[in-house]
Amino acid sequence: QVQLQESGPGLVKPSQTLSLTCTVSGASIRSGGHYWTWIRQFPEKGLEWIGYLYYSGRNFYNPSLESRPSISVDTSKNQFSLTLSSVTAADTAVYYCARSKTGAGIFDFWGQGALVTVSS
Amino acid sequence: DIQMTQSPSTLSAYVGDRVNITCRASQSITTHLAWYQQKLGKAPKLLIFSASYLENGVPSRISGSGSGTEFTLTISSLQPDDFATYYCQQYDSFAWTFGQGTRVEIK
């Protein structure tokens, strides 16, 4: 069974960089053609796709976030990480990591979510 | 971005009722649509993909239909476990986007 678990600080100051890590078990990030993805859910419950890591190819990010997000991988730990720069209060959300089915943006496994609050 | 609009925003129903949730896309997404169920404090759970394909382990009282710009999620006989919020999501083109959600409440 594939499992994902987010970790990272729950509080970030405005203008700083948010950093979260997703630890994957039951599957290898290096194989299978999946998109390893970050999604966030705002307090008013809207969901926003942030971007994905595709080990066999390029990453892709939501253009609405401009150049603020970056997703990287640590294959030795089977983890992938999100950084989001220049955060504001509008970035306060629950952040989920998720795995897609092979080659499609269909999210079949999710982490339990990590609440990140942006506040001074 | 493709805008996804769900209706209704909230639905009140009895156990045993048949319920339909509609999702409309701002442009054609063929059948590149998924449905998710979310319960309070939990991550979304995949129910349907490719508009009408049931994910493994999802009960057969749940079904999906549609193509192009209009889609429907149907629960044929609402059970206590089905009271939750439902989201549609398109994966036809970037950026992948979600509907705003439909909350299904007990009447």
Side-chain angles (χ1 to χ4, degrees):
Chain A
Q1 177 77 340
V2 179
Q3 293 185 315
L4 300 93
Q5 174 80 54
E6 304 88 352
S7 59
L11 181 65
V12 182
K13 288 183 166 49
S15 80
Q16 294 191 342
T17 296
L18 177 159
S19 296
L20 292 170
T21 295
C22 183
T23 301
V24 179
S25 58
S28 172
I29 291 174
R30 292 179 294 178
S31 62
H34 303 281
Y35 300 122
W36 300 93
T37 301
W38 287 95
I39 294 162
R40 62 183 180 179
Q41 186 166 34
F42 300 109
E44 64 276 17
K45 302 306 180 186
L47 289 157
E48 181 177 59
W49 169 72
I50 297 170
Y52 69 67
L53 169 99
Y54 184 53
Y55 190 78
S56 303
R58 58 174 287 205
N59 293 2
F60 206 94
Y61 303 103
N62 191 326
S64 70
L65 295 170
E66 299 175 328
S67 54
R68 294 198 298 136
S70 178
I71 300 175
S72 59
V73 64
D74 184 339
T75 54
S76 67
K77 296 180 180 178
N78 211 33
Q79 294 175 333
F80 63 106
S81 297
L82 168 70
T83 59
L84 184 67
S85 62
S86 305
V87 297
T88 70
D91 294 307
T92 294
V94 175
Y95 285 75
Y96 293 101
C97 58
R99 189 197 80 164
S100 79
K101 289 185 179 290
T102 303
I106 305 162
F107 308 114
D108 55 357
F109 291 98
W110 297 63
Q112 87 275 15
L115 173 62
V116 178
T117 301
V118 179
S119 175
S120 55
Chain B
D1 291 0
I2 297 175
Q3 305 303 312
M4 306 300 292
T5 303
Q6 290 182 232
S7 59
S9 296
T10 305
L11 185 160
S12 297
Y14 293 105
V15 171
D17 281 353
R18 180 183 182 91
V19 300
N20 292 308
I21 299 169
T22 297
C23 177
R24 289 186 173 87
S26 59
Q27 64 189 69
S28 177
I29 57 170
T30 63
T31 57
H32 296 144
L33 184 99
W35 289 97
Y36 301 85
Q37 176 195 67
Q38 188 178 33
K39 297 184 178 179
L40 199 62
K42 301 292 187 182
K45 172 189 172 185
L46 177 65
L47 299 176
I48 299 276
F49 61 95
S50 297
S52 61
Y53 287 79
L54 204 63
E55 176 69 348
N56 289 339
V58 175
S60 58
R61 65 180 180 273
I62 293 173
S63 62
S65 62
S67 66
T69 61
E70 188 154 336
F71 303 86
T72 302
L73 178 74
T74 299
I75 305 174
S76 60
S77 176
L78 202 63
Q79 297 302 302
D81 191 50
D82 301 330
F83 291 95
T85 300
Y86 295 83
Y87 295 92
C88 62
Q89 176 236 331
Q90 68 82 17
Y91 51 94
D92 184 75
S93 59
F94 293 114
W96 297 330
T97 48
F98 293 84
Q100 82 280 13
T102 295
R103 184 180 175 192
V104 177
E105 299 180 329
I106 300 173
K107 197 167 187 178

